[in-house]
PDB file of all heavy atoms in Angstrom:
ATOM      1  N   GLN A 933       4.649  33.771   9.519  1.00  0.00           N
ATOM      2  CA  GLN A 933       3.888  34.629  10.425  1.00  0.00           C
ATOM      3  C   GLN A 933       3.153  33.743  11.431  1.00  0.00           C
ATOM      4  O   GLN A 933       2.936  32.553  11.166  1.00  0.00           O
ATOM      5  CB  GLN A 933       2.868  35.441   9.628  1.00  0.00           C
ATOM      6  CG  GLN A 933       3.489  36.341   8.582  1.00  0.00           C
ATOM      7  CD  GLN A 933       2.444  36.910   7.631  1.00  0.00           C
ATOM      8  OE1 GLN A 933       1.250  36.632   7.751  1.00  0.00           O
ATOM      9  NE2 GLN A 933       2.896  37.715   6.682  1.00  0.00           N
ATOM     10  N   PRO A 934       2.736  34.290  12.547  1.00  0.00           N
ATOM     11  CA  PRO A 934       1.981  33.486  13.530  1.00  0.00           C
ATOM     12  C   PRO A 934       0.748  32.814  12.917  1.00  0.00           C
ATOM     13  O   PRO A 934       0.358  31.730  13.337  1.00  0.00           O
ATOM     14  CB  PRO A 934       1.590  34.518  14.597  1.00  0.00           C
ATOM     15  CG  PRO A 934       2.686  35.535  14.536  1.00  0.00           C
ATOM     16  CD  PRO A 934       3.062  35.635  13.087  1.00  0.00           C
ATOM     17  N   SER A 935       0.161  33.428  11.896  1.00  0.00           N
ATOM     18  CA  SER A 935      -1.027  32.847  11.264  1.00  0.00           C
ATOM     19  C   SER A 935      -0.701  31.562  10.505  1.00  0.00           C
ATOM     20  O   SER A 935      -1.600  30.800  10.147  1.00  0.00           O
ATOM     21  CB  SER A 935      -1.668  33.846  10.296  1.00  0.00           C
ATOM     22  OG  SER A 935      -0.748  34.209   9.286  1.00  0.00           O
ATOM     23  N   HIS A 936       0.566  31.306  10.249  1.00  0.00           N
ATOM     24  CA  HIS A 936       0.962  30.067   9.570  1.00  0.00           C
ATOM     25  C   HIS A 936       1.022  28.879  10.527  1.00  0.00           C
ATOM     26  O   HIS A 936       1.114  27.730  10.079  1.00  0.00           O
ATOM     27  CB  HIS A 936       2.333  30.236   8.900  1.00  0.00           C
ATOM     28  CG  HIS A 936       2.307  31.111   7.698  1.00  0.00           C
ATOM     29  ND1 HIS A 936       3.162  32.187   7.534  1.00  0.00           N
ATOM     30  CD2 HIS A 936       1.518  31.094   6.591  1.00  0.00           C
ATOM     31  CE1 HIS A 936       2.898  32.785   6.390  1.00  0.00           C
ATOM     32  NE2 HIS A 936       1.910  32.144   5.795  1.00  0.00           N
ATOM     33  N   ALA A 937       0.948  29.122  11.786  1.00  0.00           N
ATOM     34  CA  ALA A 937       1.049  28.032  12.764  1.00  0.00           C
ATOM     35  C   ALA A 937      -0.100  27.044  12.611  1.00  0.00           C
ATOM     36  O   ALA A 937      -1.230  27.428  12.306  1.00  0.00           O
ATOM     37  CB  ALA A 937       1.060  28.597  14.175  1.00  0.00           C
ATOM     38  N   GLY A 938       0.211  25.777  12.805  1.00  0.00           N
ATOM     39  CA  GLY A 938      -0.809  24.734  12.690  1.00  0.00           C
ATOM     40  C   GLY A 938      -0.165  23.426  12.309  1.00  0.00           C
ATOM     41  O   GLY A 938       1.047  23.259  12.400  1.00  0.00           O
ATOM     42  N   ILE A 939      -0.990  22.497  11.854  1.00  0.00           N
ATOM     43  CA  ILE A 939      -0.502  21.195  11.401  1.00  0.00           C
ATOM     44  C   ILE A 939      -0.660  21.136   9.887  1.00  0.00           C
ATOM     45  O   ILE A 939      -1.734  21.423   9.357  1.00  0.00           O
ATOM     46  CB  ILE A 939      -1.305  20.046  12.051  1.00  0.00           C
ATOM     47  CG1 ILE A 939      -1.258  20.151  13.572  1.00  0.00           C
ATOM     48  CG2 ILE A 939      -0.755  18.689  11.588  1.00  0.00           C
ATOM     49  CD1 ILE A 939      -2.214  19.194  14.274  1.00  0.00           C
ATOM     50  N   TYR A 940       0.405  20.776   9.215  1.00  0.00           N
ATOM     51  CA  TYR A 940       0.365  20.651   7.762  1.00  0.00           C
ATOM     52  C   TYR A 940       0.399  19.165   7.396  1.00  0.00           C
ATOM     53  O   TYR A 940       1.260  18.424   7.864  1.00  0.00           O
ATOM     54  CB  TYR A 940       1.541  21.384   7.118  1.00  0.00           C
ATOM     55  CG  TYR A 940       1.373  22.886   7.232  1.00  0.00           C
ATOM     56  CD1 TYR A 940       1.753  23.556   8.398  1.00  0.00           C
ATOM     57  CD2 TYR A 940       0.809  23.629   6.188  1.00  0.00           C
ATOM     58  CE1 TYR A 940       1.566  24.923   8.517  1.00  0.00           C
ATOM     59  CE2 TYR A 940       0.625  25.010   6.302  1.00  0.00           C
ATOM     60  CZ  TYR A 940       1.007  25.643   7.474  1.00  0.00           C
ATOM     61  OH  TYR A 940       0.810  26.998   7.596  1.00  0.00           O
ATOM     62  N   LEU A 941      -0.560  18.768   6.594  1.00  0.00           N
ATOM     63  CA  LEU A 941      -0.654  17.373   6.176  1.00  0.00           C
ATOM     64  C   LEU A 941      -0.602  17.266   4.665  1.00  0.00           C
ATOM     65  O   LEU A 941      -1.210  18.067   3.954  1.00  0.00           O
ATOM     66  CB  LEU A 941      -1.954  16.730   6.645  1.00  0.00           C
ATOM     67  CG  LEU A 941      -2.174  16.597   8.145  1.00  0.00           C
ATOM     68  CD1 LEU A 941      -3.134  17.667   8.647  1.00  0.00           C
ATOM     69  CD2 LEU A 941      -2.713  15.225   8.497  1.00  0.00           C
ATOM     70  N   CYS A 942       0.112  16.263   4.188  1.00  0.00           N
ATOM     71  CA  CYS A 942       0.045  15.947   2.759  1.00  0.00           C
ATOM     72  C   CYS A 942      -0.836  14.714   2.589  1.00  0.00           C
ATOM     73  O   CYS A 942      -0.903  13.853   3.469  1.00  0.00           O
ATOM     74  CB  CYS A 942       1.437  15.722   2.175  1.00  0.00           C
ATOM     75  SG  CYS A 942       2.380  14.343   2.867  1.00  0.00           S
ATOM     76  N   GLY A 943      -1.532  14.672   1.486  1.00  0.00           N
ATOM     77  CA  GLY A 943      -2.387  13.540   1.154  1.00  0.00           C
ATOM     78  C   GLY A 943      -2.179  13.180  -0.298  1.00  0.00           C
ATOM     79  O   GLY A 943      -1.836  14.038  -1.119  1.00  0.00           O
TER      80      GLY A 943
END
Side-chain angles (χ1 to χ4, degrees):
Chain A
Q933 300 168 0
S935 60
H936 288 128
I939 304 170
Y940 289 83
L941 296 102
C942 62

